[in-house]
Amino acid sequence: MAAKKACEALTFSKSLIEEVQRWGCMKQTGVSLRYMMEFGSDPSDKNLLISAQFLHKELPIRIARRALELQTLPYGLSQKPAVLKVRDWYLDSFRDLRLFPEIKDTNDEKEFTQMIKAIKVRHNNVVPMMALGVQQLKKGMEQKIVYKDLDEIHQFLDRFYLSRIGIRMLIGQHVELHNPNPPPHCVGYIHTKMSPLEVAQNASEDARTICLREYGSAPDVNIYGDPHFTFPYVPTHLHLMVFELVKNSLRAVQEHFVDSDKVTPPVRIIVADGLEDVTIKVSDEGGGIPRSGLPKIFTYLYSTARNPLDEECDLGIANAATMAGYGYGLPISRLYARYFGGDLQIISMEGYGTDAYLHLSRLGDSQEPLP
């Protein structure tokens, strides 16, 4: 027991915490989609070295900021076991980065790449783990506080998850640039000729599969737009967002028509390419959302859905697909859209259906938002 205590004290020494405070005050440096694309188009040893040196300085700043915020959350959220675990992951990663010596040559760069790859894996379950922390908080709170004063926690989670998207994008992009056989037109995570129609098609098929599994049937999804239109974007981000919107629409239609003998109307997706934005509209006739309920759909605090980590003691089990399982899909999708200068809006007609407008910045010039 004494050894465990000593080990914990050693784990996060006073000097480490002081260093976190010092780094957490430093200025973050944002990068744009266009810059990532241009820089990554020549993944030479020299460029990979420059990228690693940048990340060696940038990642500790971003991680330190989040670690500090995790220690000062309102209503005792910082002390919840799940949140303490997330804080430990951030402090471990900060320490790993700071202990790594200066990156001087290709061998250093390769070792550094393996280390940040491991950091990315360590943080895989941050979203469900934070959701569990919020659930632990809600269990112990009076009902009247939960729905009124939790704005502060909501804003923190927005900042926290947005920053996480950025950290994972930077690490993933650097790691992927080492791929000796990248798919055609791919620069790291970025596809320079991505067809939004094709991504929407794949995401819709995935969402229909889940709907079929849950309900035994699924409405059709009709997609309209120019099949030849392409633009540079991150396909995994777009897939995640469209999947979430289509899944919500399919579920709404399925439940709205559950006792009806009418044929379920299809979900419609329209892809429009403007000069500034590519906009994807997902429309359904699933009965809509009451106006009073609209503000709630983007919060992390109202979901009644089950958290996959609640019953799963082994925290290694939860995977990315469980994001949909505890009501975080919409707020996190909006953050993915905003990360590269886009947005997500939901407009509803109660008694008829819902339209979701997903705006993606076509120019790729906007800097990352840096919370």
Side-chain angles (χ1 to χ4, degrees):
M1 189 65 197
K4 185 171 186 273
K5 276 272 192 294
C7 166
E8 275 175 13
L10 188 72
T11 314
F12 303 124
S13 61
K14 188 162 174 274
S15 62
L16 179 81
I17 301 300
E18 282 169 2
E19 199 173 354
V20 168
Q21 283 168 336
R22 197 166 66 248
W23 279 75
C25 296
M26 294 183 193
K27 190 175 181 302
Q28 304 172 94
T29 307
V31 285
S32 67
L33 180 69
R34 178 176 298 219
Y35 179 79
M36 283 188 217
M37 201 164 65
E38 286 170 0
F39 182 86
S41 59
D42 170 25
S44 60
D45 285 351
K46 178 174 175 265
N47 275 352
L48 289 171
L49 192 63
I50 292 167
S51 170
Q53 287 164 342
F54 167 71
L55 294 180
H56 193 207
K57 183 170 188 303
E58 182 64 19
L59 291 173
I61 298 174
R62 296 193 186 195
I63 286 171
R65 282 181 173 239
R66 302 287 74 87
L68 290 175
E69 261 203 305
L70 281 166
Q71 288 170 325
T72 55
L73 300 177
Y75 308 111
L77 182 58
S78 292
Q79 297 314 309
K80 297 299 168 203
V83 178
L84 287 170
K85 195 168 187 60
V86 172
R87 190 209 59 176
D88 288 355
W89 290 339
Y90 274 73
L91 291 174
D92 281 339
S93 298
F94 177 83
R95 187 178 47 198
D96 288 351
L97 285 158
R98 292 298 301 130
L99 287 176
F100 198 91
E102 197 185 337
I103 302 166
K104 294 191 172 115
D105 56 34
T106 299
N107 282 343
D108 294 349
E109 188 275 324
K110 285 196 168 74
E111 268 181 58
F112 178 77
T113 300
Q114 288 312 309
M115 189 218 15
I116 59 174
K117 214 170 169 176
I119 286 177
K120 190 163 178 274
V121 171
R122 175 187 288 147
H123 290 247
N124 276 351
N125 277 331
V126 161
V127 177
M129 192 57 89
M130 284 302 291
L132 194 60
V134 171
Q135 278 181 5
Q136 289 167 347
L137 175 72
K138 278 171 70 174
K139 271 179 195 156
M141 283 178 97
E142 296 171 40
Q143 199 64 14
K144 65 174 188 288
I145 305 177
V146 172
Y147 298 117
K148 200 164 59 78
D149 302 326
L150 292 190
D151 247 16
E152 210 180 324
I153 289 177
H154 175 73
Q155 285 163 14
F156 156 73
L157 288 170
D158 258 354
R159 286 193 303 274
F160 185 77
Y161 292 138
L162 188 61
S163 169
R164 179 175 183 269
I165 290 168
I167 289 168
R168 292 180 82 76
M169 179 70 200
L170 291 181
I171 294 177
Q173 183 68 2
H174 180 82
V175 169
E176 192 53 39
L177 288 176
H178 287 76
N179 183 347
N181 304 305
H185 310 299
C186 282
V187 175
Y189 273 4
I190 303 160
H191 194 306
T192 59
K193 290 185 157 67
M194 184 196 74
S195 159
L197 215 73
E198 196 183 310
V199 175
Q201 211 125 31
N202 294 335
S204 300
E205 280 164 21
D206 288 355
R208 284 191 85 243
T209 303
I210 284 186
C211 187
L212 281 163
R213 202 170 62 211
E214 251 177 66
Y215 297 100
S217 64
D220 287 338
V221 179
N222 298 339
I223 305 179
Y224 307 91
D226 177 358
H228 303 297
F229 168 66
T230 65
F231 78 115
Y233 204 72
V234 180
T236 49
H237 288 192
L238 182 58
H239 187 285
L240 179 147
M241 295 184 280
V242 175
F243 168 79
E244 188 57 38
L245 296 173
V246 173
K247 180 177 60 65
N248 288 349
S249 285
L250 292 172
R251 190 167 55 209
V253 171
Q254 203 63 34
E255 292 186 356
H256 190 56
F257 285 86
V258 70
D259 297 322
S260 164
D261 33 17
K262 290 181 186 164
V263 178
T264 53
V267 170
R268 289 185 304 281
I269 300 178
I270 300 168
V271 179
D273 47 297
L275 291 175
E276 277 183 31
D277 280 354
V278 174
T279 304
I280 297 174
K281 179 167 86 159
V282 179
S283 297
D284 69 62
E285 294 172 37
I289 302 160
R291 207 150 48 99
S292 61
L294 272 174
K296 296 180 182 179
I297 61 175
F298 282 114
T299 94
Y300 304 96
L301 302 157
Y302 293 93
S303 178
T304 51
R306 181 177 73 82
N307 183 319
L309 293 191
D310 237 356
E311 285 98 325
E312 289 172 8
C313 305
D314 175 4
L315 298 173
I317 310 173
N319 60 23
T322 57
M323 186 186 86
Y326 42 89
Y328 277 31
L330 276 179
I332 285 190
S333 294
R334 182 166 69 174
L335 296 180
Y336 272 99
R338 287 178 173 174
Y339 177 68
F340 282 129
D343 210 353
L344 171 61
Q345 291 168 313
I346 307 282
I347 293 168
S348 191
M349 290 173 73
E350 190 187 3
Y352 180 72
T354 303
D355 288 347
Y357 291 86
L358 178 59
H359 302 280
L360 310 170
S361 172
R362 187 172 175 174
L363 306 172
D365 282 338
S366 68
Q367 292 289 328
E368 296 175 276
L370 294 172

